[in-house]
Amino acid sequence: MIGGLVYPNDQQPQGYPGQPGQPDYGQIPQPPQPEYGQPQPGYAQPAYGQPGQWDYSQGGQPGYPPGYQPMPPGYPMAPPPPQGTNGLAIAALILGLLGACLLAIPFGIIALTQIKQRNQNGKGLAIGGLVASGVWALIVVILFAVGAVNSSDTSASQDNTTRTSALPDSPTSISVDEVKVGDCLQTVEENNHIRKVTVLPCDAAHDAEVIAQVHLTGSWPGSLDASFQQANDACLDEIDKQLSKSSMYDQLETFILYPANETQWNKLNGRATCMVHDASGKKLTGKVPR
């Protein structure tokens, strides 16, 4: 062929197409490569120029890589379960019920602190121990107060017995400053300047019995009448407390020994002696019933 290349046996060069635009049928055709920025089939890739945006036709959620599923909103994580029951809380309850307040109270307080720090059960037990300790403490205070009142009454009776036991058949004259609760006096009469009284056993006939002694507040009120008024008010209150349930309450009258001047007020620290006697003038023959 003039002007052309001659190939042996009319064979064309390998790798060149026989016709323009046609592949060599002796070669395996290759699939076309995707253009830059286009997602490959079966994979979710971010679109070009839009970071963080994903192909919704493929799996996954926007802003997350394929296969990752975020925690659904509105479901917070549950707190860990309590780690057992606090031992001090149990001890506080047991000791509180038994009345061992000196141990139950500190155990209960420490237990409440530990329960909060260690995430434990037993808060109700600790509080129960503290409440039980408080109840026991209240009972002790009440018993102590009742015992003090009874002891005062018993001491008053013993004072009179001791004072008169040496002379059971003879009255004993003492200064008004020495009169004590429980004393029974032979004779009482209204007088602005009583210095001595006669004490005798309460089972003997007598005129009055000393029920209480009170200390008036403040300094000398300035007059005899003012001193009497303060003493009278205080004695009436005290006698009502002690004899309001007495079977003789309606037949008794009050008799008071009180400071007559500033010197006596200061010497006795404002003390007044509260007595009762029979309003009809009869002699008393025993202790006034309570």
Side-chain angles (χ1 to χ4, degrees):
M1 184 174 180
I2 300 173
L5 297 176
V6 178
Y7 296 97
N9 300 323
D10 294 330
Q11 296 293 326
Q12 297 188 12
Q14 199 173 20
Y16 287 87
Q19 294 181 3
Q22 297 295 328
D24 184 355
Y25 291 101
Q27 303 293 327
I28 298 174
Q30 297 296 325
Q33 295 298 322
E35 296 180 5
Y36 178 75
Q38 296 298 326
Q40 298 182 8
Y43 295 91
Q45 296 183 358
Y48 178 75
Q50 296 182 350
Q53 299 296 324
W54 295 85
D55 184 359
Y56 288 92
S57 64
Q58 309 298 328
Q61 296 291 334
Y64 298 95
Y68 179 85
Q69 296 296 329
M71 179 72 71
Y75 295 91
M77 295 183 63
Q83 304 298 315
T85 302
N86 186 274
L88 287 179
I90 300 174
L93 178 62
I94 296 175
L95 293 172
L97 294 176
L98 295 177
C101 303
L102 295 180
L103 293 176
I105 293 176
F107 281 9
I109 296 174
I110 295 173
L112 291 176
T113 302
Q114 291 183 351
I115 288 170
K116 184 176 181 180
Q117 294 176 347
R118 301 177 183 179
N119 188 27
Q120 292 179 314
N121 290 321
K123 182 178 180 180
L125 300 178
I127 294 176
L130 293 175
V131 172
S133 299
V135 172
W136 274 109
L138 181 61
I139 293 174
V140 170
V141 171
I142 294 175
L143 293 177
F144 180 81
V146 172
V149 172
N150 292 336
S151 176
S152 176
D153 293 342
T154 302
S155 298
S157 178
Q158 292 176 348
D159 286 346
N160 179 262
T161 303
T162 302
R163 187 191 299 270
T164 59
S165 61
L167 300 171
D169 299 325
S170 301
T172 303
S173 179
I174 62 173
S175 168
V176 293
D177 298 345
E178 300 174 7
V179 173
K180 295 182 179 180
V181 175
D183 282 350
C184 292
L185 308 184
Q186 185 180 41
T187 303
V188 291
E189 58 184 9
E190 187 173 351
N191 193 319
N192 290 340
H193 301 285
I194 298 177
R195 297 185 181 277
K196 288 185 176 291
V197 292
T198 301
V199 181
L200 68 166
C202 289
D203 55 0
H206 56 277
D207 289 329
E209 178 184 341
V210 179
I211 303 300
Q213 287 183 322
V214 296
H215 287 275
L216 309 178
T217 59
S219 57
W220 168 247
S223 68
L224 184 66
D225 291 341
S227 177
F228 168 75
Q229 189 62 50
Q230 288 191 30
N232 185 62
D233 293 342
C235 283
L236 288 177
D237 290 341
E238 191 62 32
I239 289 173
D240 283 342
K241 291 178 182 178
Q242 297 193 34
L243 301 181
S244 60
K245 297 182 180 180
S246 173
S247 59
M248 296 181 61
Y249 183 76
D250 293 335
Q251 65 189 73
L252 297 174
E253 284 185 348
T254 305
F255 191 86
I256 304 171
L257 295 176
Y258 60 95
N261 51 54
E262 186 174 3
T263 301
Q264 290 184 358
W265 182 284
N266 295 333
K267 180 180 180 180
L268 301 176
N269 192 26
R271 186 183 67 195
T273 300
C274 312
M275 300 179 288
V276 293
H277 65 96
D278 194 307
S280 64
K282 295 180 180 180
K283 294 285 187 178
L284 301 174
T285 55
K287 300 283 290 183
V288 175
R290 271 40 177 190

mmCIF file of all heavy atoms in Angstrom, residues 216 220-233 256-261 264-265 270-272:
data_model
loop_
_atom_site.group_PDB
_atom_site.id
_atom_site.type_symbol
_atom_site.label_atom_id
_atom_site.label_comp_id
_atom_site.label_asym_id
_atom_site.label_seq_id
_atom_site.Cartn_x
_atom_site.Cartn_y
_atom_site.Cartn_z
ATOM 1 N N LEU A 216 -37.959 36.249 145.940
ATOM 2 C CA LEU A 216 -38.537 37.338 145.168
ATOM 3 C C LEU A 216 -37.450 37.974 144.308
ATOM 4 O O LEU A 216 -36.317 38.160 144.755
ATOM 5 C CB LEU A 216 -39.164 38.370 146.105
ATOM 6 C CG LEU A 216 -40.128 37.781 147.155
ATOM 7 C CD1 LEU A 216 -40.654 38.891 148.063
ATOM 8 C CD2 LEU A 216 -41.279 37.048 146.476
ATOM 9 N N TRP A 220 -34.893 45.393 146.869
ATOM 10 C CA TRP A 220 -35.919 45.812 147.830
ATOM 11 C C TRP A 220 -36.926 46.731 147.145
ATOM 12 O O TRP A 220 -36.545 47.738 146.528
ATOM 13 C CB TRP A 220 -35.258 46.509 149.014
ATOM 14 C CG TRP A 220 -36.185 47.235 149.927
ATOM 15 C CD1 TRP A 220 -36.247 48.585 150.116
ATOM 16 C CD2 TRP A 220 -37.180 46.657 150.777
ATOM 17 N NE1 TRP A 220 -37.218 48.903 151.016
ATOM 18 C CE2 TRP A 220 -37.816 47.733 151.460
ATOM 19 C CE3 TRP A 220 -37.611 45.371 151.036
ATOM 20 C CZ2 TRP A 220 -38.843 47.540 152.369
ATOM 21 C CZ3 TRP A 220 -38.629 45.177 151.955
ATOM 22 C CH2 TRP A 220 -39.237 46.249 152.612
ATOM 23 N N PRO A 221 -38.223 46.386 147.187
ATOM 24 C CA PRO A 221 -39.226 47.151 146.427
ATOM 25 C C PRO A 221 -39.506 48.535 146.983
ATOM 26 O O PRO A 221 -40.217 49.315 146.333
ATOM 27 C CB PRO A 221 -40.463 46.261 146.505
ATOM 28 C CG PRO A 221 -40.279 45.463 147.734
ATOM 29 C CD PRO A 221 -38.817 45.223 147.868
ATOM 30 N N GLY A 222 -39.001 48.847 148.175
ATOM 31 C CA GLY A 222 -39.128 50.210 148.673
ATOM 32 C C GLY A 222 -40.096 50.395 149.818
ATOM 33 O O GLY A 222 -40.073 51.431 150.489
ATOM 34 N N SER A 223 -40.986 49.418 150.057
ATOM 35 C CA SER A 223 -41.941 49.573 151.149
ATOM 36 C C SER A 223 -42.380 48.209 151.652
ATOM 37 O O SER A 223 -42.239 47.184 150.963
ATOM 38 C CB SER A 223 -43.158 50.392 150.705
ATOM 39 O OG SER A 223 -43.916 49.667 149.755
ATOM 40 N N LEU A 224 -42.941 48.188 152.883
ATOM 41 C CA LEU A 224 -43.433 46.942 153.470
ATOM 42 C C LEU A 224 -44.588 46.376 152.657
ATOM 43 O O LEU A 224 -44.670 45.163 152.431
ATOM 44 C CB LEU A 224 -43.869 47.204 154.920
ATOM 45 C CG LEU A 224 -44.318 45.991 155.736
ATOM 46 C CD1 LEU A 224 -43.144 45.055 155.966
ATOM 47 C CD2 LEU A 224 -44.912 46.442 157.077
ATOM 48 N N ASP A 225 -45.493 47.246 152.232
ATOM 49 C CA ASP A 225 -46.646 46.784 151.455
ATOM 50 C C ASP A 225 -46.223 46.167 150.125
ATOM 51 O O ASP A 225 -46.784 45.144 149.698
ATOM 52 C CB ASP A 225 -47.612 47.944 151.195
ATOM 53 C CG ASP A 225 -48.314 48.405 152.472
ATOM 54 O OD1 ASP A 225 -48.327 47.624 153.449
ATOM 55 O OD2 ASP A 225 -48.809 49.552 152.484
ATOM 56 N N ALA A 226 -45.254 46.796 149.467
ATOM 57 C CA ALA A 226 -44.788 46.256 148.185
ATOM 58 C C ALA A 226 -44.108 44.906 148.379
ATOM 59 O O ALA A 226 -44.271 43.975 147.565
ATOM 60 C CB ALA A 226 -43.831 47.236 147.512
ATOM 61 N N SER A 227 -43.359 44.750 149.461
ATOM 62 C CA SER A 227 -42.716 43.476 149.765
ATOM 63 C C SER A 227 -43.769 42.397 150.018
ATOM 64 O O SER A 227 -43.652 41.265 149.516
ATOM 65 C CB SER A 227 -41.805 43.623 150.984
ATOM 66 O OG SER A 227 -41.220 42.386 151.329
ATOM 67 N N PHE A 228 -44.815 42.735 150.795
ATOM 68 C CA PHE A 228 -45.876 41.768 151.056
ATOM 69 C C PHE A 228 -46.598 41.371 149.766
ATOM 70 O O PHE A 228 -46.914 40.188 149.560
ATOM 71 C CB PHE A 228 -46.887 42.350 152.053
ATOM 72 C CG PHE A 228 -48.150 41.547 152.146
ATOM 73 C CD1 PHE A 228 -48.163 40.343 152.814
ATOM 74 C CD2 PHE A 228 -49.321 41.988 151.523
ATOM 75 C CE1 PHE A 228 -49.333 39.586 152.888
ATOM 76 C CE2 PHE A 228 -50.486 41.245 151.594
ATOM 77 C CZ PHE A 228 -50.491 40.036 152.278
ATOM 78 N N GLN A 229 -46.864 42.322 148.905
ATOM 79 C CA GLN A 229 -47.601 42.024 147.682
ATOM 80 C C GLN A 229 -46.835 41.033 146.806
ATOM 81 O O GLN A 229 -47.406 40.078 146.260
ATOM 82 C CB GLN A 229 -47.879 43.306 146.896
ATOM 83 C CG GLN A 229 -48.832 43.118 145.724
ATOM 84 C CD GLN A 229 -50.204 42.647 146.182
ATOM 85 O OE1 GLN A 229 -50.803 43.221 147.099
ATOM 86 N NE2 GLN A 229 -50.695 41.572 145.547
ATOM 87 N N GLN A 230 -45.525 41.252 146.653
ATOM 88 C CA GLN A 230 -44.713 40.330 145.857
ATOM 89 C C GLN A 230 -44.699 38.941 146.486
ATOM 90 O O GLN A 230 -44.847 37.919 145.797
ATOM 91 C CB GLN A 230 -43.284 40.847 145.717
ATOM 92 C CG GLN A 230 -43.141 42.051 144.804
ATOM 93 C CD GLN A 230 -41.678 42.342 144.492
ATOM 94 O OE1 GLN A 230 -40.848 41.438 144.450
ATOM 95 N NE2 GLN A 230 -41.357 43.612 144.291
ATOM 96 N N ALA A 231 -44.529 38.900 147.825
ATOM 97 C CA ALA A 231 -44.488 37.614 148.512
ATOM 98 C C ALA A 231 -45.837 36.902 148.427
ATOM 99 O O ALA A 231 -45.901 35.674 148.228
ATOM 100 C CB ALA A 231 -44.084 37.821 149.963
ATOM 101 N N ASN A 232 -46.912 37.625 148.571
ATOM 102 C CA ASN A 232 -48.237 37.027 148.529
ATOM 103 C C ASN A 232 -48.537 36.417 147.153
ATOM 104 O O ASN A 232 -49.047 35.292 147.054
ATOM 105 C CB ASN A 232 -49.288 38.083 148.872
ATOM 106 C CG ASN A 232 -50.682 37.510 148.969
ATOM 107 O OD1 ASN A 232 -50.957 36.664 149.812
ATOM 108 N ND2 ASN A 232 -51.581 37.970 148.094
ATOM 109 N N ASP A 233 -48.216 37.138 146.083
ATOM 110 C CA ASP A 233 -48.453 36.620 144.733
ATOM 111 C C ASP A 233 -47.648 35.343 144.476
ATOM 112 O O ASP A 233 -48.176 34.360 143.917
ATOM 113 C CB ASP A 233 -48.094 37.678 143.690
ATOM 114 C CG ASP A 233 -49.035 38.883 143.746
ATOM 115 O OD1 ASP A 233 -50.130 38.756 144.330
ATOM 116 O OD2 ASP A 233 -48.655 39.951 143.219
ATOM 117 N N ILE A 256 -47.842 34.160 155.538
ATOM 118 C CA ILE A 256 -46.555 34.412 154.878
ATOM 119 C C ILE A 256 -45.587 35.091 155.829
ATOM 120 O O ILE A 256 -45.946 36.032 156.547
ATOM 121 C CB ILE A 256 -46.751 35.297 153.620
ATOM 122 C CG1 ILE A 256 -47.764 34.655 152.666
ATOM 123 C CG2 ILE A 256 -45.431 35.506 152.895
ATOM 124 C CD1 ILE A 256 -48.178 35.557 151.534
ATOM 125 N N LEU A 257 -44.346 34.617 155.811
ATOM 126 C CA LEU A 257 -43.234 35.313 156.441
ATOM 127 C C LEU A 257 -42.417 35.952 155.328
ATOM 128 O O LEU A 257 -41.902 35.247 154.454
ATOM 129 C CB LEU A 257 -42.361 34.336 157.251
ATOM 130 C CG LEU A 257 -43.011 33.669 158.466
ATOM 131 C CD1 LEU A 257 -42.033 32.652 159.085
ATOM 132 C CD2 LEU A 257 -43.430 34.702 159.497
ATOM 133 N N TYR A 258 -42.260 37.282 155.352
ATOM 134 C CA TYR A 258 -41.593 37.981 154.254
ATOM 135 C C TYR A 258 -40.691 39.086 154.823
ATOM 136 O O TYR A 258 -40.870 39.527 155.968
ATOM 137 C CB TYR A 258 -42.622 38.578 153.295
ATOM 138 C CG TYR A 258 -43.557 39.582 153.933
ATOM 139 C CD1 TYR A 258 -43.288 40.949 153.882
ATOM 140 C CD2 TYR A 258 -44.706 39.177 154.607
ATOM 141 C CE1 TYR A 258 -44.145 41.876 154.465
ATOM 142 C CE2 TYR A 258 -45.555 40.080 155.189
ATOM 143 C CZ TYR A 258 -45.272 41.428 155.122
ATOM 144 O OH TYR A 258 -46.108 42.347 155.715
ATOM 145 N N PRO A 259 -39.712 39.566 154.049
ATOM 146 C CA PRO A 259 -38.799 40.618 154.535
ATOM 147 C C PRO A 259 -39.562 41.903 154.834
ATOM 148 O O PRO A 259 -40.351 42.377 154.011
ATOM 149 C CB PRO A 259 -37.825 40.808 153.365
ATOM 150 C CG PRO A 259 -37.918 39.551 152.567
ATOM 151 C CD PRO A 259 -39.331 39.098 152.693
ATOM 152 N N ALA A 260 -39.300 42.462 156.014
ATOM 153 C CA ALA A 260 -40.011 43.672 156.433
ATOM 154 C C ALA A 260 -39.235 44.939 156.113
ATOM 155 O O ALA A 260 -39.796 46.041 156.169
ATOM 156 C CB ALA A 260 -40.308 43.618 157.926
ATOM 157 N N ASN A 261 -37.951 44.820 155.758
ATOM 158 C CA ASN A 261 -37.150 45.996 155.450
ATOM 159 C C ASN A 261 -36.018 45.594 154.503
ATOM 160 O O ASN A 261 -35.833 44.401 154.182
ATOM 161 C CB ASN A 261 -36.597 46.643 156.729
ATOM 162 C CG ASN A 261 -35.883 45.637 157.625
ATOM 163 O OD1 ASN A 261 -34.970 44.934 157.190
ATOM 164 N ND2 ASN A 261 -36.323 45.565 158.886
ATOM 165 N N GLN A 264 -33.409 42.941 155.912
ATOM 166 C CA GLN A 264 -33.851 41.555 155.853
ATOM 167 C C GLN A 264 -33.904 41.048 154.410
ATOM 168 O O GLN A 264 -33.568 39.888 154.136
ATOM 169 C CB GLN A 264 -35.230 41.429 156.507
ATOM 170 C CG GLN A 264 -35.234 41.615 158.023
ATOM 171 C CD GLN A 264 -36.617 41.393 158.623
ATOM 172 O OE1 GLN A 264 -37.593 41.135 157.912
ATOM 173 N NE2 GLN A 264 -36.712 41.510 159.949
ATOM 174 N N TRP A 265 -34.329 41.905 153.514
ATOM 175 C CA TRP A 265 -34.392 41.513 152.087
ATOM 176 C C TRP A 265 -33.016 41.067 151.586
ATOM 177 O O TRP A 265 -32.881 40.013 150.945
ATOM 178 C CB TRP A 265 -34.922 42.677 151.271
ATOM 179 C CG TRP A 265 -35.078 42.384 149.796
ATOM 180 C CD1 TRP A 265 -34.086 42.302 148.861
ATOM 181 C CD2 TRP A 265 -36.306 42.144 149.099
ATOM 182 N NE1 TRP A 265 -34.593 42.032 147.635
ATOM 183 C CE2 TRP A 265 -35.966 41.928 147.744
ATOM 184 C CE3 TRP A 265 -37.639 42.103 149.471
ATOM 185 C CZ2 TRP A 265 -36.915 41.665 146.770
ATOM 186 C CZ3 TRP A 265 -38.592 41.841 148.506
ATOM 187 C CH2 TRP A 265 -38.236 41.625 147.164
ATOM 188 N N GLY A 270 -34.256 38.131 149.441
ATOM 189 C CA GLY A 270 -35.642 38.251 149.024
ATOM 190 C C GLY A 270 -36.473 37.008 149.278
ATOM 191 O O GLY A 270 -37.486 36.799 148.603
ATOM 192 N N ARG A 271 -36.096 36.182 150.243
ATOM 193 C CA ARG A 271 -36.819 34.930 150.482
ATOM 194 C C ARG A 271 -38.092 35.165 151.276
ATOM 195 O O ARG A 271 -38.100 35.912 152.255
ATOM 196 C CB ARG A 271 -35.934 33.944 151.233
ATOM 197 C CG ARG A 271 -36.544 32.559 151.415
ATOM 198 C CD ARG A 271 -35.630 31.661 152.225
ATOM 199 N NE ARG A 271 -35.529 32.133 153.607
ATOM 200 C CZ ARG A 271 -34.586 31.717 154.451
ATOM 201 N NH1 ARG A 271 -33.654 30.860 154.042
ATOM 202 N NH2 ARG A 271 -34.558 32.166 155.699
ATOM 203 N N ALA A 272 -39.159 34.478 150.889
ATOM 204 C CA ALA A 272 -40.425 34.513 151.618
ATOM 205 C C ALA A 272 -40.840 33.084 151.924
ATOM 206 O O ALA A 272 -40.615 32.171 151.122
ATOM 207 C CB ALA A 272 -41.503 35.215 150.796
#
